[in-house]
Amino acid sequence: MSRLRVYWPDEHTTSSAVPEPHILRLRGNGPSARLRHAMSLTERARILHENRTCPDCHHPVVQPLELEDALLTRNRLPIPGTATLVGFRCTCCRAEWPA
């Protein structure tokens, strides 16, 4: 079994030769970019959890309403959880409310 190492280039390193297989991490994909993405995921999860029941009829099944701005895969399919969440709709009484 081969080992795949993550290589994170240092700003002071000028050598481009890496002896083993590696994944090249470019600037902008570092911990701060991942932290911003994780914070947006936790915010989205909190909003989904707070709006899990209908405020009118208390039905436990609601549908999130999203804009058509989701990130796309290379097959042009939307990536779940990347669209802007704008509201919710109850599947029972069809009531809608903002996120």
Side-chain angles (χ1 to χ4, degrees), residues 1 13 15-16 18 20 35-36 38 43 45 48 51 54-56 58 63 76 86 88 98:
M1 180 184 294
T13 305
S15 173
S16 62
V18 178
E20 297 180 19
L35 182 60
R36 282 194 306 269
E43 181 70 16
L48 288 171
N51 292 286
C54 176
D56 292 340
H58 303 291
Q63 183 179 31
R76 310 292 295 163
V86 293
F88 296 90

Side-chain angles (χ1 to χ4, degrees), residues 81-96:
T82 60
T84 304
L85 186 62
V86 293
F88 296 90
R89 176 186 298 132
C90 178
T91 58
C92 182
C93 69
R94 298 288 183 206
E96 292 185 359

Side-chain angles (χ1 to χ4, degrees):
M1 180 184 294
S2 65
R3 293 185 346 182
L4 182 64
R5 293 184 359 174
V6 174
Y7 173 70
W8 203 313
D10 195 32
E11 291 182 13
H12 305 292
T13 305
T14 58
S15 173
S16 62
V18 178
E20 297 180 19
H22 64 281
I23 297 173
L24 182 62
R25 302 293 306 220
L26 301 175
R27 285 183 222 153
N29 293 339
S32 62
R34 286 188 300 231
L35 182 60
R36 282 194 306 269
H37 183 65
M39 288 173 59
S40 66
L41 289 177
T42 56
E43 181 70 16
R44 182 182 178 90
R46 185 187 60 76
I47 291 170
L48 288 171
H49 180 74
E50 288 175 352
N51 292 286
R52 66 186 182 270
T53 60
C54 176
D56 292 340
C57 69
H58 303 291
H59 189 69
V61 182
V62 297
Q63 183 179 31
L65 302 175
E66 301 175 329
L67 297 178
E68 297 285 329
D69 64 347
L71 296 176
L72 302 176
T73 64
R74 64 179 153 170
N75 295 332
R76 310 292 295 163
L77 297 173
I79 299 172
T82 60
T84 304
L85 186 62
V86 293
F88 296 90
R89 176 186 298 132
C90 178
T91 58
C92 182
C93 69
R94 298 288 183 206
E96 292 185 359
W97 61 97

